[in-house]
Amino acid sequence: MFILAAAGSAVGLGNIWRFPFIAGDNGGGAFILVYLVCIFLIGIPIMMAEVLMGREVRSSPINTLRRLVTVSKASPAWILIGWMGVVAGFFILSFYAVIAGWAMDYVLVTAQGTFEGATSATASATFNSFLESPLQLMLWQTLFMIITVWIVARGVSGGLELAIRVFMPMLFILLVVMLGYSITTGGFGEATEFMFRFEWDRMGVEGVLAAMGQAFFTLSLGMGAIMAYGAYVPSQASVPGTVTIIAMLDTVVAIAAGLVIFSIVFANGLEPGQGPGLMFITLPLAFGQMPMGTLFGTVFFVLVSFAAITSAISLIEPALAFLVEEYNAVRSRVAISLGVITWVLGLGTVFSFNVWADVHLIGERTFFDLLDYLTNNIMLPLGGLLMGLFVGWVLPRKLVSEQLQMSSAALQAWFVAVRFIAPIGVATVFVYTILRGILG
Ligand code: PHE
């Protein structure tokens, strides 16, 4: 069950929508290498840290940290990790709901046969005219929030488990089918070139930060989502084993999505770096050309919407679980209130693609760009850095080793990762990016 829930959290828009476009914007090859290194050297160890903390205390992330601080007689300042996670969860969910709304809209648009025989010009025109309508975007964002809140209000279990068990494998199968299609497009060779040829000059320091941020985002790390789910891991389950499975699954989905999307990009002479619209402009082309494309496309967008819902649930869970524990509040009321706040914040993202498209904050960023940057490139890695330090240096060693149940060599290696590699890695990238920003 934990594997299902955590995989449901990890696999989402981050893999299918965000990974390809961020990789495209940052030149491919070297970006993906850094991303993979971050997954294995930082992501997996930090995910183990989150699970072990969650399982040790078995409550919401904020209360988990409170308890662990007491146990370790450490400064209460560490509890801020939990609060920052709650805020990051709100910020992320606010834009996540808008993008998930796009996927939901595309279920209908694809089902109507809009993309049969479409050219890249018509595919981009369809997408751009959709973005121009704040009302349309709001409609779908609202629907997505309602569904998420409704599921969360009823408690994370039952129906959700079934949905993950059925839809996740379907998503895999469909991705494999599309991978098969993408090999026939003539763009596949160029796509693998683009993704796996490490040309460092195609990427700058910002690219390294983006790759690290994406590694945290895609594994749902640094904000307490996995810690919250860790509370449900049975004591006899192996933490390293389950975490490795989840990380592998997540990585395979992202790479497959990348291969599919970039094959279509190159087969149609498109640009890989075209921002958040990448998936919504390229995939319809494939669905328009492949046999039974309308059916496959419709099912695909349904599955992506489901994948987004299972991730969205984990974005609210840390805040929700905390409020319910702390104030003994009614779960459904808390869920609705949190949903409303997130929805309002999400309007900023809705407007970023139309009426506020020219409003730039801090650099050339729209409101959406800023939220995305702040959460993925700063808050999540910072959360991960602090978690690494806390688990590696502050928690009693005995508690940690009892939770992980690993051979002493493996435990030693893990300690090196959380004590040194993750914190120093994240800190170095931060400092570098800041210096680059200042020195130009
Ligand atoms: N991992 C999710 C995705 O890839 C997003 C997410 C981030 C979910 C952080 C929870 C916490 O879509």
Side-chain angles (χ1 to χ4, degrees), residues 116-141:
E116 277 160 30
T119 60
S120 53
T122 49
S124 16
T126 306
F127 182 66
N128 290 329
S129 71
F130 170 54
L131 285 193
E132 272 163 29
S133 161
L135 270 181
Q136 286 256 6
L137 301 193
M138 268 167 71
L139 178 83
W140 292 107
Q141 172 220 12

Side-chain angles (χ1 to χ4, degrees), residues 9-15 92 96 217-220 223 225 311 314-315:
S9 167
V11 176
L13 297 173
N15 307 62
I92 296 174
Y96 207 85
F217 182 72
T218 195
L219 293 179
S220 309
M223 53 76 66
S311 300
S314 71
L315 283 161

Side-chain angles (χ1 to χ4, degrees), residues 360-430:
H360 292 304
L361 311 147
I362 315 183
E364 280 299 281
R365 299 194 171 91
T366 61
F367 182 84
F368 158 71
D369 293 332
L370 183 66
L371 266 194
D372 177 85
Y373 187 86
L374 197 68
T375 50
N376 293 313
N377 292 20
I378 299 175
M379 296 171 89
L380 300 185
L382 184 62
L385 180 160
L386 295 172
M387 287 181 194
L389 291 178
F390 183 66
V391 171
W393 298 98
V394 179
L395 278 190
R397 205 187 160 95
K398 185 157 164 288
L399 181 158
V400 171
S401 63
E402 275 173 12
Q403 276 292 341
L404 291 182
Q405 297 290 346
M406 294 195 293
S407 69
S408 67
L411 188 67
Q412 214 48 49
W414 176 82
F415 261 116
V416 172
V418 288
R419 282 186 161 183
F420 303 104
I421 302 179
I424 296 177
V426 174
T428 311
V429 180
F430 276 168

